[in-house]
Amino acid sequence: MGGDQDNKHEQKLQAVLLADSFTQTFQPISLDKTSPKVLCPLNNVTLLDYSIEFLAGAGVEELYVFCATGGEAVEAYLEKSTWTSSIKVKCVKDSSVTNAGDALRELDKRNLVQSDPFILMSGDCVTNVNIVPALEEHKLRHKKDSSAIMTILMKEVGGW
């Protein structure tokens, strides 16, 4: 009774964190291909730690960190991380990927992401937005219109 619908409600909230931005905007800081941008520190904390803290706080239970470059360094960092007790984190590596679309297609091909919805986040995003209301709004919108498959959160910044 309820079948798939009940299973969707019981699914763990999953997220995909793109460790690569597929650009060269952090050069020369990120010239070393073995140390990706997500391992760069901001106020002595890696961008990866900020992202994991944000996602864990949003209720994410399972996180896939997708790396096209520097996957070994990210994997080694995650093995030492204390986050693994509050959120399941897995590094997914594929050096053939050149953009976010390729990364999502590869994750789909591997059948890793099962939650509906899931969160897609860039690894160089540092935020403290409360994402829970946006997730609820997305679910309501998708229930009314099944073609509403994506919600994007944007914040205007200014003064530059």
Side-chain angles (χ1 to χ4, degrees):
M1 186 179 210
D4 288 339
Q5 289 299 331
D6 290 339
N7 287 339
K8 285 187 179 182
H9 292 293
E10 295 172 13
Q11 288 177 342
K12 294 179 180 177
L13 180 59
Q14 295 176 308
V16 173
L17 184 72
L18 299 175
D20 301 283
S21 60
F22 309 105
T23 66
Q24 299 176 354
T25 56
F26 260 55
Q27 288 187 354
I29 295 170
S30 62
L31 280 176
D32 180 6
K33 294 290 186 192
T34 62
S35 184
K37 185 181 351 182
V38 293
L39 296 181
C40 290
L42 176 63
N43 200 26
N44 293 322
V45 177
T46 66
L47 294 173
L48 182 57
D49 281 330
Y50 282 113
S51 298
I52 294 172
E53 179 180 10
F54 166 73
L55 292 167
V60 171
E61 296 178 62
E62 198 168 68
L63 170 63
Y64 293 99
V65 180
F66 195 96
C67 303
T69 58
E72 288 76 21
V74 170
E75 206 165 43
Y77 184 83
L78 289 171
E79 285 174 7
K80 299 175 195 166
S81 174
T82 58
W83 289 110
T84 53
S85 62
S86 61
I87 182 174
K88 181 181 174 189
V89 183
K90 181 173 187 235
C91 187
V92 178
K93 301 176 283 189
D94 188 329
S95 60
S96 69
V97 169
T98 60
N99 58 56
D102 286 348
L104 290 173
R105 279 185 285 279
E106 182 61 29
L107 288 166
D108 185 52
K109 186 168 68 173
R110 296 183 190 193
N111 203 29
L112 293 174
V113 179
Q114 299 296 314
S115 73
D116 182 16
F118 74 96
I119 298 171
L120 174 64
M121 184 173 162
S122 176
D124 58 359
C125 177
V126 178
T127 184
N128 64 354
V129 67
N130 181 1
I131 198 168
V132 174
L135 282 170
E136 294 305 317
E137 284 293 321
H138 171 80
K139 289 175 188 176
L140 289 172
R141 196 169 27 261
H142 184 64
K143 191 173 186 175
K144 290 179 187 174
D145 179 2
S146 63
S147 66
I149 60 169
M150 182 170 63
T151 299
I152 299 175
L153 300 182
M154 310 217 34
K155 171 77 171 126
E156 184 176 338
V157 295
W160 302 348

